[in-house]
Amino acid sequence: MPTAPAPYKVIANDFTAKIKSGELKPGDKLPSTRQIADQYGVSMNTAYRAMSLLHDRELITGQPGRGTYVAEQPGR
């Protein structure tokens, strides 16, 4: 029986799909970690791990004191 993916991966994959489809465009501001946690019904730590994974995938960039934004995509 297959196991369900970890909640942080589900969130990261959801945002990845929105970025790749163009629903979220480079420069778009993402919700705060707290808003993501509330939206998906997860802990702040889980939301933070999802955002960290997106950062590792180079899909988002953080601007201290301003928020998190969709990164410019190479080749676009």
Side-chain angles (χ1 to χ4, degrees):
M1 186 167 163
T3 59
Y8 77 95
K9 288 184 180 178
V10 171
I11 296 167
N13 289 341
D14 188 30
F15 276 98
T16 298
K18 289 178 180 180
I19 291 168
K20 295 210 180 280
S21 74
E23 185 179 337
L24 290 171
K25 296 174 180 40
D28 284 354
K29 187 173 182 180
L30 298 181
S32 69
T33 304
R34 178 168 301 284
Q35 290 169 322
I36 292 169
D38 290 345
Q39 179 182 346
Y40 286 90
V42 297
S43 70
M44 289 280 291
N45 188 50
T46 299
Y48 177 81
R49 284 184 72 187
M51 300 305 279
S52 181
L53 183 55
L54 290 170
H55 189 269
D56 290 348
R57 292 177 179 172
E58 299 181 350
L59 294 173
I60 63 171
T61 182
Q63 297 180 10
R66 295 192 59 216
T68 304
Y69 297 84
V70 177
E72 293 294 329
Q73 301 304 308
R76 284 195 179 177

